[in-house]
Amino acid sequence: MLKIVTSVIARDLKLAMRRQADIVSALFFFVIVVSLFPLGIGPEVDLLRQLAPGVLWVAALLATMLSLPRLFADDYRDGTLEQLALSPHPLGLIVTGKVIAHWLVSGLPLALIAPILGIQFDLSGEALLVLTGAILLGTPALSGIGAIGAALTLGLRGGGVLLSLLVLPLYIPVLIFGAGAVDATVSGLGGEGHLSLLTAMTFAAIGFAPWASAAALKIALE
């Protein structure tokens, strides 16, 4: 089972390296969106600290969504997805590998660059550490939930808009607890509870979402 997942991860990472413009565009979008707020608000330090958790998390959420339409679309167009579905390996394990690969090229870079952007909002060192941990813990859930939406809208005309309408409401709990962890740290209350809930949601998403996505993919391929 582990060999199947790692093989899919390695394959998708190689393909992603051939399309580095997609990775760079998502990072550039994240940087630009986050950087616009300090420029627009001005040097109001207290206000920037209050807005920082929500701004950073909303930008990370939207940046993650940029690559979701291509999660299965390229394999669907060239027939690879159908071959994977016909293989003797469970499709859910294959989707698990694709979800992890998506997180490695979309969620992980966002978590690594977020502390640098957080400095613009005058966040403390502890708040930046919690921000990094929250994005690391929460973005896998975004990739898992997004995979369900990508599978449900596969092959549909205007699927990108429908994908957004499907997954954005499901992203709300991750957004609330991710931003809440940083906000609680800034307020001095501690964000351990929020981080624990984020971890639980990520494990639930990674455990459930690939199999739901696999069922949706089988319907799309029929």
Side-chain angles (χ1 to χ4, degrees), residues 97-141:
K98 295 183 76 65
V99 169
I100 295 174
H102 177 267
W103 175 75
L104 289 174
V105 299
S106 63
L108 182 59
L110 298 181
L112 296 178
I113 200 173
I116 301 173
L117 299 176
I119 296 174
Q120 299 179 90
F121 295 84
D122 196 43
L123 291 177
S124 65
E126 184 182 4
L128 292 174
L129 185 63
V130 172
L131 171 67
T132 305
I135 294 180
L136 278 173
L137 291 173
T139 45

Side-chain angles (χ1 to χ4, degrees), residues 110-203:
L110 298 181
L112 296 178
I113 200 173
I116 301 173
L117 299 176
I119 296 174
Q120 299 179 90
F121 295 84
D122 196 43
L123 291 177
S124 65
E126 184 182 4
L128 292 174
L129 185 63
V130 172
L131 171 67
T132 305
I135 294 180
L136 278 173
L137 291 173
T139 45
L142 299 181
S143 294
I145 296 169
I148 300 176
L152 288 171
T153 58
L154 185 64
L156 297 180
R157 183 177 298 177
V161 176
L162 183 58
L163 172 61
S164 301
L165 293 175
L166 284 174
V167 302
L168 279 176
L170 300 176
Y171 279 174
I172 291 175
V174 181
L175 174 63
I176 290 173
F177 291 111
V182 186
D183 190 42
T185 303
V186 172
S187 303
L189 301 176
E192 293 81 4
H194 295 82
L195 294 177
S196 298
L197 288 170
L198 268 182
T199 305
M201 284 189 285
T202 291
F203 276 113

